Amino acid sequence: MIFVATTDDGGEIRYVDRKRWLWIISVLTPSVPAIGALALWATGNPVWALLPVLVYYVATPLIDMVVGSDPNNPPEAVVGALSEDQYYRALLFLSVPVFWASFLVPAIVASTQPVPVWAWLLLAVGAGASSGTGLTVAHELGHKPNRLDQWGAKIMCALSGYAHFCLEHNRGHHVQVATPEDRASGRLGESLYAFAAREIPSVVAEGWALERKRLEKKGLPFWHWRNDLLQGYAIALAVAALLVAFLGWIVLPFIAISHAVAWFHLSMANYVEHYGLKRDRKPNGRYGPCEPRHSWNTNHIVSNLMLFHLQRHSDHHANPLRPYQALRNFDDLPHLPSGYPGSFVLAAIPPLWRKVMDPKVCKWARGDVDRCNVRPGLENAYALKFQNWPA
């Protein structure tokens, strides 16, 4: 499809979205855990439980490495027309049942088939990885103000029992991003596991606090049917109750593990997206506005097509209401060494992550550790390291 716009000087810009039909990949790839579980059920071979891990964390980083980056970048003039095309919004809603299937089908197979413990765990991990990725759709819909998109986001958050996500993300993370005060920004020298242990409980508490304030402004008590968090948790509990009713109590450990994996999966994304980056403080003590350089970007085409452009994160934070198909990449942004799947694998090995990323943070900060979001207590150690690294 060709998008046409008129420039300020009366000229015409014509833009072809060459990825238009490729965006269906974002709808199809969440089906991998369901496909693996169905194949296990049909063949009795537990090796199929490995499929999500192999596809998401082995094959995708390798394909990203081979295929490379995305040359498709919409000019600013056509962003409006591109944003109004409802095809892209429809894809988000089409992905919702696919994500739910990749939670429900593995849950059924794991609870009804005689599979070894290791395969049972892999089914739960695969379902959790898909559910955590489903928060990408919740993230996209949750930034939109209309009720249908908001309910779509709520249903996707309920998939992993993470009802507080949109509230904390929009009113907490986007306000405080790339500052020491932000719970969802990784700090220089902080491991993924230390970050997750700090972030997960704190964003839950922040989400509850923000919803309490919102309801108080409306003159409503926290325990009210209009509480967005309680609505989301109610959906998750209703699904869990139905699964227990049909499959028995044996399904509860599966639900708990897959939800925990989903929560950790989101923490991995938050960790790599802003690791070590910090906005400058003004003389009045306030932080400057969030700019594209305050997010790690990655322009690998395949993983971006799997994640509705979440990896063009720099433009998203600078323009939160801009839909995924209109997000742009710029060469002067801080870039991750791989797409999110490859970066997650890297982050899971803290010494390797620091070896690759800490020099990148040093270069971004031009050798000035004070410009970085550093884990408390490591400021002097990094000041010494920065002296030996090229800025």
Side-chain angles (χ1 to χ4, degrees):
M1 182 171 179
I2 301 175
F3 295 91
V4 182
T6 303
T7 61
D8 293 338
D9 59 3
E12 183 179 86
I13 290 181
R14 301 171 68 84
Y15 171 74
V16 178
D17 182 6
R18 303 187 185 282
K19 296 182 295 186
R20 183 176 179 83
W21 302 112
L22 292 176
W23 284 117
I24 296 172
I25 293 173
S26 284
V27 178
L28 297 178
T29 50
S31 67
V32 172
I35 292 171
L38 288 172
L40 188 158
W41 196 347
T43 65
N45 188 344
V47 173
W48 280 106
L50 280 166
L51 186 65
V53 173
L54 293 177
V55 170
Y56 293 150
Y57 303 118
V58 179
T60 302
L62 291 175
I63 294 172
D64 263 347
M65 188 184 305
V66 173
V67 176
S69 61
D70 181 4
N72 220 35
N73 214 28
E76 182 65 26
V78 303
V79 164
L82 192 59
S83 299
E84 292 171 3
D85 191 325
Q86 293 302 300
Y87 163 77
Y88 300 96
R89 181 166 174 252
L91 292 180
L92 292 168
F93 284 96
L94 285 174
S95 73
V96 172
V98 181
F99 277 108
W100 273 93
S102 276
F103 166 66
L104 295 172
V105 173
I108 294 169
V109 172
S111 302
T112 61
Q113 302 302 303
V115 297
V117 174
W118 64 266
W120 184 94
L121 286 171
L122 282 172
L123 286 172
V125 168
S130 178
S131 297
T133 304
L135 290 168
T136 300
V137 176
H139 169 263
E140 183 70 21
L141 294 174
H143 275 290
K144 307 304 182 287
N146 69 78
R147 291 181 65 83
L148 179 60
D149 286 3
Q150 289 291 313
W151 267 102
K154 196 172 297 183
I155 290 169
M156 287 308 299
C157 287
L159 175 60
S160 54
Y162 213 77
H164 54 276
F165 168 67
C166 288
L167 190 66
E168 192 285 327
H169 178 82
N170 291 346
R171 302 184 190 178
H173 176 59
H174 267 268
V175 174
Q176 297 179 323
V177 63
T179 70
E181 289 76 19
D182 183 37
R183 299 156 181 81
S185 291
R187 297 167 179 169
L188 182 63
E190 181 178 41
S191 74
L192 168 63
Y193 308 103
F195 170 77
R198 171 176 68 86
E199 181 227 17
I200 291 174
S202 63
V203 297
V204 173
E206 177 69 4
W208 279 62
L210 287 168
E211 181 64 353
R212 188 181 299 277
K213 291 178 182 177
R214 185 185 75 85
L215 291 169
E216 284 177 354
K217 289 180 179 179
K218 294 179 176 291
L220 299 174
F222 182 80
W223 300 100
H224 192 276
W225 68 269
R226 289 176 63 183
N227 183 314
D228 286 338
L229 301 187
L230 298 183
Q231 291 173 5
Y233 293 138
I235 296 171
L237 286 172
V239 171
L242 287 172
L243 287 174
V244 170
F246 284 98
L247 302 173
W249 295 101
I250 192 172
V251 76
L252 283 181
F254 182 94
I255 295 173
I257 291 174
S258 65
H259 282 9
V261 171
W263 289 33
F264 184 71
H265 205 267
L266 176 64
S267 287
M268 288 195 291
N270 285 333
Y271 177 75
V272 305
E273 285 167 351
H274 306 283
Y275 176 76
L277 306 182
K278 187 174 76 172
R279 285 146 58 188
D280 296 330
R281 268 192 187 275
K282 296 181 178 180
N284 62 7
R286 295 184 178 181
Y287 291 99
C290 181
E291 301 173 10
R293 66 188 186 89
H294 295 123
S295 305
W296 289 103
N297 211 60
T298 172
N299 196 38
H300 290 81
I301 186 169
V302 174
S303 50
N304 254 321
L305 284 168
M306 293 171 62
L307 295 169
F308 286 113
H309 254 169
L310 179 67
Q311 300 177 156
R312 286 190 172 182
H313 208 64
S314 297
D315 198 19
H316 164 69
H317 265 280
N319 302 282
L321 296 180
R322 180 168 292 173
Y324 70 92
Q325 70 271 18
L327 293 175
R328 300 158 302 163
N329 176 70
F330 302 101
D331 293 335
D332 59 348
L333 297 173
H335 279 85
L336 290 169
S338 179
Y340 280 11
S343 295
F344 291 173
V345 174
L346 195 65
I349 309 170
L352 187 57
W353 170 261
R354 287 193 292 267
K355 183 177 181 180
V356 173
M357 290 301 298
D358 286 5
K360 284 179 169 286
V361 176
C362 174
K363 184 176 181 180
W364 175 89
R366 299 195 293 272
D368 184 358
V369 73
D370 291 335
R371 300 184 72 229
C372 302
N373 186 9
V374 187
R375 183 176 180 177
L378 295 180
E379 294 87 352
N380 292 335
Y382 271 101
L384 291 174
K385 287 182 179 181
F386 279 17
Q387 290 178 4
N388 299 317
W389 291 341

